[in-house]
Amino acid sequence: CSKMAAHVNNPSSVASLLSWSLRSLVANFSCHANHVHTLPPNIKDKLVHLMSKRGVIKDDNIGKVVHGKMRELDLSESEVSDVSLEQLAVCRNLRKIDLNAVKGNTTTVTTKGIISLVRSCNLLQVVYLRRCTEVTDDAIVALSENCRQLMCLNIGGCSKITDRSLEALGQNSRMLRSINFGHTRVTDDGVISLATGKCRQCLAEVHMDGCHLLTDDAVEVIMESCPRISILIFHGCPKLTDRSRVALEELSGPNSKMKQVTWTIY
């Protein structure tokens, strides 16, 4: 008995037993689905992490594993839709959600789902939506209006995004410090609204590569208006000229905070 007690009290043994149990649960989830909701939040977090890595979170099981204390959720490897996002209404403390499409574009996450999400989870600070091609300006406007603590946003490859999204972010997202809107339909007007908006003092990282409508004005306004800018990515923008390079040299100066710059001059 004493040997057994020593083994049970060994933290590494307990951790190994828990890890094995979680792997077994994931492998046989359908057999235990009706009981998962009784697990404590800290165990659910470990379960969700494992399911996320394996890409097995789906519309029909997500409601059983999420909980009200959850702060982060990675769905980038999983096949989910608006149905899943509507089930996140209980996650009032959610701070980060990753819906990036890692295997090409996704059309199952749409504006409807994002609006439902941000109305329930208004403490979100980090939102990744890369290549969610059915996400439109209405979703980003709702995000900016409901989630006032937003700090990081990736809408790269969301091909329906226009200036309206950047205008809303400039008006509402005071804490925004990192944004990727590469390969969208934004123009100089949208970038101007963002760079001169309420986030201008926080904005440190901007990815706007592959935006075919942008000109040198977009680069210049970011360099002139955003004193904390340290990462600026704007390669693949065919309307840019050598003027952007000159602006970088003139406006960065000897005390520049720039860490990374990529561009293509046509």
Side-chain angles (χ1 to χ4, degrees):
C1 292
S2 61
K3 289 183 178 180
M4 182 178 293
H7 183 75
V8 171
N9 290 328
N10 185 325
S12 62
S13 298
V14 174
S16 297
L17 178 59
L18 175 60
S19 179
W20 180 87
S21 299
L22 289 172
R23 289 197 300 271
S24 178
L25 176 55
V26 171
N28 302 279
F29 192 89
S30 59
C31 298
H32 307 286
N34 292 333
H35 305 288
V36 170
H37 70 279
T38 63
L39 294 173
N42 63 315
I43 301 300
K44 278 190 174 183
D45 284 340
K46 296 180 184 299
L47 177 62
V48 169
H49 178 70
L50 182 57
M51 293 176 71
S52 296
K53 287 171 61 177
R54 296 189 178 185
V56 296
I57 296 179
K58 302 181 184 298
D59 291 344
D60 62 359
N61 63 28
I62 191 170
K64 300 180 186 301
V65 296
V66 296
H67 60 84
K69 294 183 179 180
M70 182 170 285
R71 295 174 68 91
E72 296 188 5
L73 184 57
D74 184 353
L75 299 174
S76 61
E77 298 282 351
S78 299
E79 295 181 5
V80 296
S81 72
D82 292 346
V83 174
S84 288
L85 301 187
E86 290 167 0
Q87 295 180 69
L88 299 182
V90 299
C91 303
R92 300 286 180 175
N93 288 294
L94 199 64
R95 301 301 202 274
K96 177 181 178 180
I97 188 164
D98 187 346
L99 290 162
N100 281 347
V102 297
K103 302 173 183 176
N105 298 334
T106 182
T107 58
T108 56
V109 172
T110 75
T111 294
K112 178 184 175 183
I114 298 302
I115 290 177
S116 174
L117 172 72
V118 301
R119 285 177 176 171
S120 301
C121 307
N122 57 17
L123 297 179
L124 279 167
Q125 298 174 346
V126 180
V127 179
Y128 295 152
L129 302 171
R130 188 179 69 240
R131 294 200 297 270
C132 294
T133 54
E134 291 301 314
V135 169
T136 66
D137 292 325
D138 286 343
I140 306 308
V141 171
L143 172 64
S144 72
E145 291 175 346
N146 287 275
C147 303
R148 296 302 178 111
Q149 298 180 42
L150 183 67
M151 293 190 290
C152 300
L153 175 63
N154 189 340
I155 46 176
C158 296
S159 53
K160 295 184 178 181
I161 295 299
T162 72
D163 291 343
R164 187 163 161 251
S165 290
L166 299 192
E167 290 165 359
L169 292 166
Q171 291 170 4
N172 301 315
S173 302
R174 185 183 301 274
M175 300 174 66
L176 187 66
R177 63 188 186 196
S178 173
I179 184 169
N180 182 337
F181 53 86
H183 299 277
T184 61
R185 293 163 51 197
V186 301
T187 72
D188 293 342
D189 289 340
V191 177
I192 292 169
S193 295
L194 179 72
T196 60
K198 293 181 179 179
C199 60
R200 62 183 298 272
Q201 293 295 331
C202 286
L203 204 57
E205 181 174 353
V206 175
H207 295 245
M208 53 186 191
D209 50 296
C211 292
H212 291 183
L213 301 177
L214 296 183
T215 75
D216 298 313
D217 290 344
V219 175
E220 289 181 347
V221 73
I222 291 173
M223 294 300 298
E224 291 172 353
S225 305
C226 304
R228 295 181 182 271
I229 195 72
S230 60
I231 297 176
L232 182 56
I233 310 299
F234 57 95
H235 58 269
C237 299
K239 290 189 176 183
L240 296 185
T241 71
D242 198 50
R243 216 178 95 200
S244 291
R245 179 190 61 78
V246 173
L248 284 169
E249 292 177 353
E250 291 181 349
L251 297 172
S252 57
N255 298 318
S256 172
K257 296 182 175 67
M258 297 301 292
K259 297 177 182 177
Q260 182 182 357
V261 180
T262 68
W263 74 88
T264 308
I265 299 299
Y266 291 86

